[in-house]
Amino acid sequence: MKKRFLSLVLTLAILLAFVPAATTQTEAVMTVFNPITGWDMMEKLGLGYTFANTTEARPWPDSNWFLDDTETCWGQPKIEEQHFQSVAQKGFDSYRLCVSWTPHMDTNYQISEVWMDRIQQLADWALDAGLNVVLNTHHEEELYWLIRDGEYEKAKTHLTALWKQVAERFKDYPETLVFEIMNEPMLKEYYDSPEDIWIHDADGQVNKVLRDTVNKLNKDALEVIRKSGGNNARRVVMLCVPGAHPDALPYMEVPDDDPYIMLSTFGYEGFLNKGTLPLVIEWLNKGVGFVNKEDKVGAYEYPATVENMMLHFGRLAELGIPSFYFSVSNNADEGDFFIRHTGEWINQPLLDALFKAHEAFAPYKPPYTSAPPAFVYELGGTFKDMEYTIWNPPADKLAAAEKLVIEIEESIGWCKFAQGDPWMEWEISDDRVTVESRRIMFDIHGLEGNTLGFLTWNNGDAAKIKRAYLAAWDNRQSLSNFAKTRTYEDNFPDLISSTAQTWVPLAYEYGLMRGGTDGTFGSKDNITIEQVLVVASRVHMIYNTGEAESISSMDGWINYARENGIIDGRFIGRYGEDATRAEVAYMMGSILEDKDMKSKNPQTLTAADVPQTHAYYGDIKRFYEAGMVSGRTSGDFDPDAPIIREECAVIFVRVIDEAKRR
């Protein structure tokens, strides 16, 4: 499998018009339909491609283009069958067929047969080439204006009429054809205003009218598709997130009885940053399939460099989230790869980086949550083969708890927690688990009463549960969580330098570093990326929960570091390499809150060899000025040089002990 790119697309208004029917419908693709869930479709979609500014292009309002020529009105040639074959041969898995339908509809919302036939022809060519196809509605400005204005009924008429026709035409197509209900309905187009008003009100909140209307329209269109017959009852359908913006994810309404759905959002300007990643993981942990669409490392998002390619798409690959490359400009400087006019593939270094990033692609597995703190109240009971149970913990224990923790012994399909009595009247909160040996945590802070319930389901069978308990989180984000857990007794004979003799014993006693199997510490040896991320992960756990979780494999440590923002896509495939001084500052500097990033003697980073253009400039500056690390005696920081183990001992101790900072 592989992955895809995304890109910012100019959304242009157009006059509503109609192209009369003229051509004969192309022959439908008839194959056996093998239903696949939205969750499993993530792996199947892999890495995708889009020939942009073509089937979703719309004439400018004051142009003289005929609607028959919309494919070329933004300067691109028409797509030919060999273009799809070239994309498939290059190694991409899927194609996103972006379509603007409204310019080809009459006033009764009837789509031109000419246009419908052309879209079907393109879908057939892509499927024949062995690509999965995502067919959507794109740049439907007339519809989006209705959504912005809260004209729900008119928007419903428009959208359901559109999808009724599209669903009918493609109802007998294989499961490798996916529908995407809408692209990115927003409050106002970016070219109308520089403000961030795609989905946000002036106070920064996600607009309620927008999110409510989009949720209702998703439901309406999904119902039309499901009732259209053929294979559409079990075809994967992507639900639209308002503005395709991750900030709207908490407001998404997703049917809990339809496994053939996915959510789709955009990746503009670093989709999986520390702010949006938890929102994405929350949905993934519920077992809802996810797609990152239309991102393009290039002029619109961020500079087209190998580093940015690995950073952004590497993180997506590691999470098992499919993404599409949006080929928009035929311009090598903007990160494009394919020249449609000539059929030439360009920008080979960036293309190689894209596929290298995608090598990390693997089906997503919900992560272990952080370990619970000291306060644990066992709920008791027999949990083996349990379908459901009711607990009545003491009111004082329930009031002190913030989490209900369920440790799963074997994989299950559904977990449901509820508060209330009787069962049928409970408010039920869902969390879906699909892998073995996982811990599920429900937020119960502020619940009233003392009746808790828990339901499990695994294809009709009861789940196997190890234990259930209440937990508080009193020890979150505190340096006071760190304590010496071991005593140093001249353990390492190779501590020669004064630096090693002073700091290595402290790092050992705090449980941050250990020696080698030969009894030495290797104080002058370079430290590897994987060794640093393990220490950083331990520090993160203790800082946030008061204790370190036991993880037995390096893959487990890598997953923890990735999911908690300690590493990013730049580290893919490099875990065994020597870490640089800059990379240590990045990994260790991401753990503490600002309140704990204080120095006894604040200093300003002045090293000439760390310009603001350096990839880790911000991380080094924050880490340096917090007193965690020093520069060389020459005045340089030497950011790209390897760092040795005794130097890291100094850094690790300074991170957890304010008194030891410069």
Side-chain angles (χ1 to χ4, degrees):
M1 292 297 160
K2 301 121 192 158
K3 198 159 254 176
R4 19 168 105 63
F5 267 5
L6 316 145
S7 168
L8 185 60
V9 182
L10 301 177
T11 307
L12 305 175
I14 189 173
L15 301 175
L16 182 64
F18 170 63
V19 178
T23 63
T24 303
Q25 175 180 328
T26 60
E27 182 179 355
V29 175
M30 303 292 292
T31 66
V32 175
F33 184 84
N34 297 305
I36 182 172
T37 67
W39 177 268
D40 292 327
M41 184 59 78
M42 287 196 295
E43 182 179 5
K44 189 172 184 63
L45 290 177
L47 180 63
Y49 206 83
T50 298
F51 292 126
N53 292 355
T54 308
T55 47
E56 87 285 15
R58 305 175 53 130
W60 294 94
D62 59 352
S63 70
N64 295 318
W65 292 98
F66 292 103
L67 290 179
D68 281 343
D69 296 327
T70 55
E71 282 187 75
T72 59
C73 71
W74 284 2
Q76 298 293 347
K78 288 192 174 183
I79 304 172
E80 303 295 340
E81 184 172 12
Q82 62 268 23
H83 291 153
F84 295 108
Q85 295 169 350
S86 185
V87 168
Q89 290 168 3
K90 184 58 65 174
F92 290 91
D93 297 303
S94 303
Y95 181 80
R96 187 163 179 253
L97 181 51
C98 301
V99 182
S100 183
W101 300 93
T102 303
H104 305 275
M105 298 169 68
D106 63 15
T107 55
N108 294 318
Y109 306 109
Q110 185 67 35
I111 300 171
S112 160
E113 285 292 320
V114 174
W115 188 240
M116 185 72 84
D117 289 345
R118 172 57 174 164
I119 299 306
Q120 185 174 0
Q121 180 184 53
L122 295 175
D124 290 348
W125 283 346
L127 291 168
D128 288 344
L131 298 167
N132 305 295
V133 175
V134 175
L135 177 62
N136 81 348
T137 67
H138 213 95
H139 296 330
E140 303 293 347
E141 284 310 305
E142 295 78 5
L143 172 65
Y144 296 168
W145 289 330
L146 295 173
I147 294 174
R148 293 169 203 150
D149 294 338
E151 296 281 357
Y152 163 66
E153 292 297 337
K154 292 180 180 179
K156 176 182 177 180
T157 300
H158 185 140
L159 185 65
T160 55
L162 189 163
W163 273 111
K164 183 176 181 180
Q165 296 170 77
V166 176
E168 173 66 27
R169 175 62 70 98
F170 292 96
K171 67 181 181 181
D172 294 321
Y173 271 60
E175 75 283 356
T176 48
L177 177 71
V178 175
F179 292 155
E180 182 185 11
I181 289 176
M182 288 181 285
N183 183 44
E184 53 176 348
M186 60 187 71
L187 291 177
K188 196 171 185 180
E189 298 303 337
Y190 66 91
Y191 52 73
D192 289 334
S193 171
E195 301 173 28
D196 180 19
I197 52 176
W198 280 23
I199 64 169
H200 298 99
D201 292 329
D203 59 1
Q205 300 300 308
V206 177
N207 181 268
K208 187 176 188 304
V209 172
L210 176 69
R211 74 193 196 213
D212 290 351
T213 304
V214 169
N215 274 326
K216 288 189 288 187
L217 291 175
N218 276 333
K219 180 179 178 181
D220 296 331
L222 183 63
E223 183 178 6
V224 166
I225 292 169
R226 292 290 182 244
K227 291 182 177 179
S228 61
N231 298 326
N232 289 338
R234 295 185 293 174
R235 185 178 307 284
V236 171
V237 177
M238 294 180 184
L239 301 186
C240 169
V241 177
H245 200 299
D247 282 1
L249 286 173
Y251 306 100
M252 285 298 297
E253 296 177 5
V254 176
D256 60 8
D257 58 351
D258 189 340
Y260 306 107
I261 55 175
M262 304 180 76
L263 298 181
S264 61
T265 60
F266 278 120
Y268 299 149
E269 298 178 355
F271 169 60
L272 292 178
N273 58 41
K274 292 179 182 178
T276 60
L277 180 57
L279 301 177
V280 173
I281 287 182
E282 182 176 352
W283 281 103
L284 289 173
N285 284 347
K286 294 177 181 179
V288 177
F290 218 90
V291 171
N292 183 38
K293 58 186 182 179
E294 294 187 5
D295 201 4
K296 181 172 75 67
V297 175
Y300 294 127
E301 279 75 45
Y302 33 82
T305 65
V306 168
E307 182 179 65
N308 280 336
M309 192 76 69
M310 294 294 293
L311 169 64
H312 188 68
F313 293 97
R315 171 58 68 84
L316 289 164
E318 287 183 315
L319 283 173
I321 297 177
S323 59
F324 288 79
Y325 180 77
F326 208 60
S327 178
V328 65
S329 66
N330 289 339
N331 186 335
D333 293 336
E334 294 183 0
D336 267 2
F337 298 137
F338 189 73
I339 304 297
R340 273 173 261 171
H341 297 80
T342 64
E344 176 188 7
W345 288 93
I346 60 173
N347 235 337
Q348 194 61 44
L350 283 181
L351 187 60
D352 290 343
L354 171 62
F355 281 105
K356 180 174 176 57
H358 190 69
E359 289 176 1
F361 188 86
Y364 177 77
K365 295 182 178 180
Y368 281 100
T369 56
S370 297
F375 166 66
V376 171
Y377 176 74
E378 297 283 352
L379 292 174
T382 302
F383 302 111
K384 297 287 185 181
D385 303 313
M386 182 197 75
E387 291 187 6
Y388 73 91
T389 192
I390 296 175
W391 297 299
N392 292 99
D396 61 330
K397 298 296 184 183
L398 183 59
E402 294 189 7
K403 299 289 180 181
L404 167 64
V405 184
I406 309 293
E407 292 187 354
I408 305 299
E409 184 172 293
E410 294 187 2
S411 61
I412 60 177
W414 284 94
C415 290
K416 295 187 178 184
F417 158 73
Q419 182 194 32
D421 194 19
W423 174 261
M424 295 302 295
E425 297 179 5
W426 284 355
E427 289 270 334
I428 295 181
S429 172
D430 296 346
D431 199 348
R432 188 181 309 181
V433 176
T434 57
V435 295
E436 295 182 357
S437 301
R438 296 302 183 198
R439 182 189 297 122
I440 309 169
M441 306 185 76
F442 295 97
D443 186 355
I444 61 171
H445 179 68
L447 288 183
E448 297 179 358
N450 67 332
T451 300
L452 304 176
F454 189 75
L455 169 72
T456 62
W457 176 80
N458 180 24
N459 295 324
D461 297 327
K464 297 185 185 300
I465 298 176
K466 288 190 290 189
R467 65 173 181 152
Y469 53 89
L470 301 177
W473 291 82
D474 300 329
N475 297 325
R476 285 183 294 181
Q477 298 175 341
S478 173
L479 291 176
S480 63
N481 291 342
F482 294 96
K484 295 180 180 180
T485 58
R486 295 181 295 199
T487 301
Y488 181 77
E489 298 176 345
D490 294 327
N491 300 65
F492 308 122
D494 60 331
L495 303 186
I496 306 302
S497 70
S498 60
T499 297
Q501 292 171 350
T502 301
W503 295 93
V504 170
L506 289 172
Y508 176 83
E509 290 180 334
Y510 276 111
L512 302 179
M513 302 183 78
R514 299 179 176 88
T517 56
D518 62 354
T520 64
F521 183 77
S523 60
K524 297 297 183 181
D525 294 341
N526 293 341
I527 197 166
T528 64
I529 290 171
E530 63 185 14
Q531 289 170 339
V532 177
L533 72 85
V534 168
V535 175
S537 296
R538 285 199 187 103
V539 171
H540 183 276
M541 291 173 182
I542 297 171
Y543 180 67
N544 282 280
T545 70
E547 63 181 84
E549 183 176 335
S550 177
I551 297 179
S552 60
S553 69
M554 182 50 63
D555 285 344
W557 286 112
I558 291 171
N559 287 337
Y560 184 93
R562 180 187 66 209
E563 290 149 7
N564 289 282
I566 295 169
I567 58 174
D568 57 32
R570 289 173 287 193
F571 295 86
I572 291 175
R574 300 181 50 239
Y575 303 117
E577 295 180 11
D578 292 339
T580 66
R581 289 167 56 82
E583 289 169 338
V584 170
Y586 173 81
M587 286 185 274
M588 297 302 298
S590 66
I591 300 170
L592 304 186
E593 297 295 308
D594 287 341
K595 66 182 178 65
D596 292 318
M597 293 289 287
K598 299 175 182 178
S599 173
K600 292 191 301 181
N601 301 295
Q603 301 183 49
T604 301
L605 178 66
T606 58
D609 60 343
V610 189
Q612 293 188 20
T613 54
H614 193 281
Y616 293 104
Y617 170 78
D619 306 295
I620 295 171
K621 183 176 187 295
R622 182 170 183 263
F623 205 58
Y624 180 93
E625 294 179 356
M628 311 293 190
V629 65
S630 305
R632 304 297 194 192
T633 55
S634 63
D636 291 337
F637 183 81
D638 212 2
D640 302 318
I643 186 169
I644 60 176
R645 287 172 56 81
E646 67 179 44
E647 291 175 326
C648 280
V650 179
I651 292 172
F652 297 159
V653 172
R654 283 175 173 169
V655 167
I656 67 172
D657 188 346
E658 287 182 290
K660 295 294 191 293
R661 296 176 190 171
R662 303 186 283 120

